[in-house]
Amino acid sequence: MNFGLCFLKWSGCMTDKDLVQVDPTHWVLDLRQFVGMNFLDVKDVCLFLPAQSPLEANSALSLYVQAGGSEWMYRGCVCSLRPSETFPIQWPLDSADPQFPAQIGISIEPLAAVSQKEEQISGSKENFAKRVALDLFTFMQSFQGSIPTSHEPPLVVPANFVDRWFVKFQGKFRRDPDFLTRDGDKI
């Protein structure tokens, strides 16, 4: 066994033998053969290496998704230093077109190339966290009534401000799930 994977709440353990090997370093699985058009409900996948992995130390096993005719989208990797991981699949938007497969791709790649992809993922998570913090700070400022200056007293907010902010945040998120990740506002 070169690797294994499991779709949380949808499958048991699968190995590389359950996927179609396209060439010596690439495997593909069409999820629709297991779950039909319900593939959009498959949210997480665990990818792992066996204890005696044949993967070289300078290589990584990368996971990609493709659906609805989209490009392959990187979701994460495992390597000898991190032999297992669970990834959110995050299917591409408009991916429910029945003419196209919903695929999981596995690829053996140089660890250096995958490290750059991992840095991009970390950067976008950090950016997301900054946007959430900025949204909370903006909400806190609304209790002050004006933009604070260095001569104003400290900001005082109600004890339940986090609860109130979270209710407001949930409403914004339900109306527009991408409002924090849109590039329109500078951090």
Side-chain angles (χ1 to χ4, degrees):
M1 171 171 81
N2 292 312
F3 62 86
L5 64 147
C6 174
F7 297 98
L8 305 184
K9 301 180 184 175
W10 284 91
S11 77
C13 182
M14 304 169 81
T15 71
D16 55 299
K17 307 294 184 224
D18 296 309
L19 283 76
V20 175
Q21 187 166 6
V22 179
D23 62 39
T25 61
H26 294 88
W27 293 262
V28 175
L29 174 70
D30 185 351
L31 259 168
R32 292 186 315 168
Q33 67 182 334
F34 297 106
V35 296
M37 289 308 293
N38 293 333
F39 72 89
L40 290 171
D41 294 332
V42 179
K43 306 285 187 199
D44 300 292
V45 59
C46 176
L47 180 63
F48 61 91
L49 298 172
Q52 302 300 320
S53 173
L55 191 66
E56 296 176 14
N58 63 350
S59 296
L61 200 61
S62 298
L63 184 125
Y64 293 84
V65 298
Q66 179 191 44
S70 71
E71 297 291 320
W72 285 101
M73 300 174 77
Y74 178 79
R75 292 298 181 247
C77 73
V78 294
C79 61
S80 58
L81 297 174
R82 194 177 74 210
S84 65
E85 189 70 54
T86 300
F87 307 104
I89 292 178
Q90 299 173 322
W91 293 105
L93 296 177
D94 302 324
S95 56
D97 188 336
Q99 298 179 32
F100 294 99
Q103 297 179 317
I104 298 293
I106 307 293
S107 175
I108 297 174
E109 301 178 11
L111 192 55
V114 172
S115 294
Q116 292 175 347
K117 294 175 187 176
E118 287 294 306
E119 287 174 19
Q120 288 175 341
I121 287 175
S122 294
S124 44
K125 286 180 181 177
E126 181 179 339
N127 192 23
F128 180 79
K130 285 179 185 176
R131 289 178 186 270
V132 170
L134 182 61
D135 187 72
L136 175 58
F137 180 73
T138 303
F139 182 73
M140 289 171 57
Q141 279 185 323
S142 71
F143 290 97
Q144 188 163 355
S146 66
I147 298 176
T149 65
S150 60
H151 306 332
E152 291 185 24
L155 176 64
V156 178
V157 295
N160 68 346
F161 84 95
V162 171
D163 294 329
R164 291 170 62 181
W165 164 76
F166 192 65
V167 167
K168 185 175 179 182
F169 178 86
Q170 285 177 311
K172 281 182 178 179
F173 187 77
R174 286 184 185 125
R175 285 188 304 277
D176 180 10
D178 296 323
F179 86 99
L180 288 173
T181 56
R182 201 172 299 106
D183 291 333
D185 299 327
K186 298 291 182 204
I187 298 175

